[in-house]
Amino acid sequence: MNPEAFSSPVFVKRATYIVQEIASLADAIDFLNDWPEDRRDLIHEAALRACYDAYDGRKPLSAARNAFFGFAKRAAILEDAISAMQWLAACKLGRGKVQV
């Protein structure tokens, strides 16, 4: 098991029909670093700082996950985990081939 893995993933809307699973500290840091500069605010900064503090061992991993969760909620990109999981499960049923 990845020592930086979150206890449960956070699902965020990357675009209208794209949901991204944030399952670890590295995922959260990458997502926050890729966030558009013109949309960054104090909540973003606090979440990124919490993630780096957890990475350096100054904060528990749960604090980083909670900070990222709060950022996602405030940015209105938080996706309901149950809805995201149902969508992922439905996608895995197909074989990736076009059926005629």
Side-chain angles (χ1 to χ4, degrees), residues 12-13 31-32 35 39-41 43-44 68-78:
V12 293
K13 295 177 213 167
F31 188 91
L32 291 167
W35 192 248
R39 294 187 63 195
R40 295 180 184 188
D41 58 9
I43 306 286
H44 172 273
F68 184 83
F69 184 91
F71 157 77
K73 188 172 182 178
R74 173 81 169 141
I77 60 168
L78 187 63

Side-chain angles (χ1 to χ4, degrees), residues 51-72:
C51 288
Y52 279 127
D53 285 349
Y55 181 81
D56 291 338
R58 293 190 301 261
K59 284 191 177 182
L61 191 57
S62 60
R65 186 198 179 280
N66 290 341
F68 184 83
F69 184 91
F71 157 77

Side-chain angles (χ1 to χ4, degrees), residues 23-46:
S24 69
L25 191 55
D27 292 344
I29 290 171
D30 288 344
F31 188 91
L32 291 167
N33 280 329
D34 288 343
W35 192 248
E37 288 192 30
D38 62 329
R39 294 187 63 195
R40 295 180 184 188
D41 58 9
L42 292 175
I43 306 286
H44 172 273
E45 183 181 326

Side-chain angles (χ1 to χ4, degrees), residues 8-22:
S8 61
V10 178
F11 294 94
V12 293
K13 295 177 213 167
R14 188 88 178 167
T16 304
Y17 298 106
I18 300 174
V19 175
Q20 182 175 349
E21 177 184 32
I22 306 298

